[in-house]
Amino acid sequence: MTSLAIDSLFSALLTGVKRSFRDACGIFWELFRIILPITIATRVLEQLGLIDKLGDFLAPLMHLVGLPGEMGLVWATAMVMNVYTGLMVFASLAPGLELTVAQVTIVTTMILVAHALPVELRIAQKVGTRFRAMLLLRLGGAFLLGWLLHMTYQLTGTLQQTSQALWSPPAAGPGWGSWLVSQLQSMLVIFVIILALVVVLEFLKKIGITALMTRLLEPLLTLLGMSREVAPLAIIGMTLGISYGGGLLIREAETGQLGKRDIFMSLALMGLCHSVIEDTLVMLVFGAHISGVLWARVAFTLVAVFIVAQLLKVVPLSVFERYLVRPVKGVAGASTDKKEMSCC
């Protein structure tokens, strides 16, 4: 290889790295503006004891899915804060309750469907969906899936042995200082992951993997009412999480490449089932069974999104735009969505 070719290759790589870093900074800034004020607000709510009150309110609902009332506090903490904070509460309560594997699977699966709602719903809102629509989908989906798992395990008599967690997390520091340090560490990790995602996505596009992946997923996405363009983003959201998939969706929505229907369906898919690798492994460590936290969650999500897609076919466009989506700069307009909703 000549020196000129080497210089050209190095220049192309440097340009690509600079562009990826710039894109990652833009995506991270959008997420940072959303996450920072909401995490501070939820921390204040926690300090005021309002999350405990929410847990008391949820206690009667826990009995409907076969769980002791104490699990209401666990779910409430996870919904308002995040998965790991909810699991810390779970680790402090579970030893005295002698929960079965079925019960642990139910509560952890419900957490996986509905957690960190203030942050994740704000991201979904920023992409272009209505807050209340996604809130209803996440809460309703979590409770329905929990009830289905409870009925299945109860009727079949499976997973009724006492659960044994492989590990319990250390207690978090109560002070604002330790909380702030942990949040800054999380932000740094998020930025590094976003940068890596942008680089990997660009690389996958260059070598044709993205196109191949899209072709393989096209039949399933068509069945679920989504277009091919949203496939890579949906995969990222499902495998890594809404913060990452949603962050990339914000950028794509602002370019006008995705229609409102694609945005709503992709957020519905990601909302019900995301971070399937990391979160599934974490829940298995805490004593959950893979039948619920992975297989049932994925199957439930596909069926639920398919039903939503069928319902959207008969929903008037005016209702869709008023109650399910919101205006976002760059998102394809109503004329595009009329075509989408008539052909899907």
Side-chain angles (χ1 to χ4, degrees):
M1 184 178 291
T2 65
S3 60
L4 182 62
I6 294 175
D7 290 342
S8 177
L9 177 61
F10 179 78
S11 177
L13 288 174
L14 184 60
T15 301
V17 169
K18 289 181 178 178
R19 184 173 60 250
S20 296
F21 185 81
R22 185 172 60 250
D23 290 345
C25 287
I27 294 170
F28 176 78
W29 175 242
E30 288 290 343
L31 291 176
F32 182 77
R33 291 166 55 192
I34 296 170
I35 293 174
L36 181 62
I38 292 178
T39 50
I40 293 175
T42 53
R43 174 67 173 179
V44 172
L45 292 177
E46 180 190 32
Q47 295 289 304
L48 293 175
L50 296 180
I51 295 178
D52 291 346
K53 294 185 183 299
L54 178 58
D56 294 337
F57 173 77
L58 291 173
L61 294 177
M62 295 297 97
H63 298 305
L64 296 178
V65 294
L67 297 174
E70 290 86 344
M71 291 297 101
L73 177 59
V74 174
W75 193 30
T77 304
M79 281 195 293
V80 178
M81 302 295 285
N82 53 56
V83 167
Y84 295 99
T85 308
L87 288 176
M88 290 175 188
V89 177
F90 172 82
S92 67
L93 295 176
L97 298 177
E98 296 187 355
L99 300 172
T100 66
V101 176
Q103 289 176 312
V104 174
T105 302
I106 291 168
V107 69
T108 52
T109 302
M110 292 175 67
I111 288 174
L112 291 183
V113 176
H115 60 264
L117 295 181
V119 170
E120 293 187 350
L121 293 181
R122 182 66 185 99
I123 292 173
Q125 189 179 39
K126 181 72 174 178
V127 178
T129 61
R130 294 288 182 185
F131 186 95
R132 57 180 177 269
M134 284 295 143
L135 177 63
L136 179 61
L137 180 68
R138 298 281 295 274
L139 291 180
F143 185 79
L144 178 58
L145 179 54
W147 182 79
L148 290 173
L149 286 175
H150 166 55
M151 296 304 295
T152 300
Y153 293 144
Q154 186 179 57
L155 292 175
T156 60
T158 55
L159 306 183
Q160 299 304 309
Q161 67 272 26
T162 302
S163 175
Q164 295 292 332
L166 300 178
W167 177 80
S168 295
W176 277 87
S178 60
W179 175 84
L180 180 60
V181 170
S182 68
Q183 295 304 308
L184 291 176
Q185 290 173 339
S186 298
M187 289 292 137
L188 178 60
V189 171
I190 288 175
F191 175 75
V192 172
I193 293 177
I194 288 174
L195 178 59
L197 285 174
V198 172
V199 173
V200 170
L201 275 178
E202 189 66 26
F203 176 73
L204 293 178
K205 289 180 181 178
K206 293 293 185 183
I207 65 176
I209 296 298
T210 298
L212 175 62
M213 189 168 53
T214 300
R215 286 197 299 270
L216 293 175
L217 283 174
E218 185 176 5
L220 177 60
L221 293 175
T222 301
L223 182 64
L224 296 179
M226 288 181 280
S227 67
R228 299 178 61 204
E229 288 76 14
V230 81
L233 304 180
I235 292 173
I236 288 174
M238 289 189 68
T239 55
L240 296 178
I242 285 183
S243 293
Y244 311 119
L248 297 174
L249 267 174
I250 290 175
R251 184 182 62 176
E252 293 298 320
E254 291 177 345
T255 64
Q257 298 299 312
L258 299 176
K260 295 177 182 178
R261 180 186 175 89
D262 280 334
I263 289 173
F264 184 84
M265 295 301 298
S266 61
L267 262 299
L269 181 71
M270 281 189 260
L272 293 175
C273 186
H274 55 272
S275 193
V276 295
I277 299 173
E278 175 190 351
D279 287 354
T280 298
L281 292 175
V282 169
M283 295 312 184
L284 293 179
V285 169
F286 277 81
H289 194 267
I290 196 170
S291 63
V293 294
L294 180 60
W295 304 124
R297 183 162 56 117
V298 171
F300 176 83
T301 297
L302 294 178
V303 172
V305 173
F306 174 76
I307 293 174
V308 170
Q310 301 309 304
L311 292 175
L312 289 184
K313 291 180 179 180
V314 299
V315 171
L317 181 59
S318 58
V319 174
F320 175 74
E321 293 192 334
R322 180 174 182 180
Y323 295 105
L324 301 181
V325 296
R326 58 190 294 271
V328 175
K329 181 181 178 181
V331 175
S335 60
T336 302
D337 289 310
K338 286 178 181 178
K339 180 180 178 181
E340 289 176 351
M341 297 186 75
S342 63
C343 68
C344 297

